[in-house]
Amino acid sequence: MQNRIITMIVLVALGLVGTSSVSVNAYAQAEPTKCQTNALIGYGGTIFGVANVCTNGYTINVDLSTNYLPKEGWVFNAWLVDDNYEGSGYPLVMGKILESGTLSFDEIQTNARTWTDIVVTQQPADSLSPLPSWSNSVAQTWLAPPFGQ
């Protein structure tokens, strides 16, 4: 009898865990996905690369591409920026642009629309700082609505 009760509790708990992950996934896909493709603009209006950004409000997908290479011993990092600092309150690093000149970033967020810009910085490869080096920004693109909300 006691084993049967324990088994029933375990099955109910597993059912709740499975149901909650399905609910979160359904919530994250509740709105239609909107995409935009923007040029990453560098100094003097030079086209540094291209950014394709998609969101449904909760998920964000960013694909970047460039033909430029960082200087020796440095890397390009791409950042999502909340220019108003009203939503997230911080820049979010999407990661290092690979030697192939590409970066892919996918994430589920509470509000993926809070971001207003994508900025690419050039930073020392051995940097331990988790912060962007704004003085070494090499390109930027502004995100159109639904971003910035």
Side-chain angles (χ1 to χ4, degrees):
M1 179 70 167
Q2 198 173 27
N3 285 341
R4 185 179 267 171
I5 292 172
I6 292 172
T7 302
M8 215 178 329
I9 291 172
V10 169
L11 289 175
V12 168
L14 288 174
L16 289 174
V17 169
T19 302
S20 66
S21 66
V22 168
S23 297
V24 167
N25 221 4
Y27 181 70
Q29 298 173 6
E31 297 180 23
T33 299
K34 295 180 181 173
C35 298
Q36 56 187 278
T37 301
N38 303 335
L40 289 161
I41 306 297
Y43 293 111
T46 303
I47 296 180
F48 177 84
V50 176
N52 186 56
V53 187
C54 297
T55 188
N56 66 1
Y58 304 101
T59 61
I60 187 165
N61 169 267
V62 180
D63 291 306
L64 301 180
S65 180
T66 183
N67 289 328
Y68 287 88
L69 296 173
K71 59 186 175 183
E72 184 74 28
W74 291 63
V75 296
F76 290 136
N77 283 324
W79 303 82
L80 285 168
V81 179
D82 172 10
D83 196 33
N84 303 321
Y85 284 88
E86 293 175 0
S88 66
Y90 61 90
L92 176 66
V93 67
M94 293 185 283
K96 177 180 112 170
I97 296 177
L98 302 175
E99 290 178 16
S100 64
T102 61
L103 176 135
S104 289
F105 176 81
D106 295 291
E107 191 167 279
I108 296 173
Q109 301 181 343
T110 303
N111 180 7
R113 295 174 298 239
T114 190
W115 309 110
T116 58
D117 304 83
I118 293 175
V119 176
V120 177
T121 60
Q122 185 171 221
Q123 298 185 203
D126 59 357
S127 174
L128 299 178
S129 173
L131 302 173
S133 177
W134 296 129
S135 62
N136 290 316
S137 296
V138 295
Q140 177 176 3
T141 191
W142 295 270
L143 300 174
F147 291 98
Q149 300 175 9

